[in-house]
Amino acid sequence: MTDYYLVRYKSGYNVSQLYTPRGLYWYRHGVNWRAVASFFVGMLPLLPGLIYQINPEIGGISRGYLNFSSLSWLDSSVLACVSYYLFNIVSPMPRGTDAEDKMAWAIQKRGSDPTENQLG
């Protein structure tokens, strides 16, 4: 959601490149390091709460932290979104569109294929 609404909100997605092997959205070895790092940023601070839920006999975890981790899905989502956005500010992703995307948008706006008249 962060990628769609915050990172690429102005330029949009290059639809034809989504399905192109080794295209614009192909990351190093097929892995988006920004997304993986954001996953860990969101997950790691909440691990003590998870461990406590598995085994409550483990001590050393404050009640305040347990209350914080009780909404772990929300906490981790916010942490991951913010970190993903910051990673993209520090190391931006490539952007761009091509003629195929512009033609696809024109077809969608008109509701018909502009090549139909040529094939006619």
Side-chain angles (χ1 to χ4, degrees):
M1 291 184 348
T2 304
D3 190 62
Y4 185 79
Y5 288 111
L6 296 176
V7 176
R8 299 180 198 264
Y9 69 97
K10 288 182 182 175
S11 65
Y13 283 96
N14 186 328
V15 177
S16 64
Q17 288 292 313
L18 286 172
Y19 304 101
T20 304
R22 303 220 185 254
L24 186 61
Y25 302 109
W26 178 260
Y27 302 101
R28 185 178 176 146
H29 302 293
V31 176
N32 182 353
W33 69 267
R34 296 163 196 86
V36 172
S38 297
F39 170 78
F40 284 110
V41 166
M43 180 192 67
L44 290 177
L46 301 172
L47 279 180
L50 174 65
I51 292 169
Y52 180 81
Q53 292 297 322
I54 293 171
N55 186 2
E57 296 175 4
I58 294 175
I61 300 174
S62 71
R63 179 44 82 198
Y65 181 80
L66 291 175
N67 290 338
F68 169 75
S69 68
S70 66
L71 283 174
S72 60
W73 67 270
L74 181 60
D75 303 332
S76 63
S77 296
V78 169
L79 288 170
C81 288
V82 169
S83 64
Y84 186 79
Y85 183 71
L86 292 175
F87 287 143
N88 279 287
I89 289 174
V90 172
S91 176
M93 287 193 225
R95 289 177 167 67
T97 59
D98 62 3
E100 290 177 14
D101 280 342
K102 290 178 184 175
M103 186 163 208
W105 282 109
I107 292 168
Q108 184 178 5
K109 285 181 183 177
R110 280 190 250 170
S112 63
D113 188 348
T115 59
E116 286 179 359
N117 297 336
Q118 296 171 356
L119 299 175

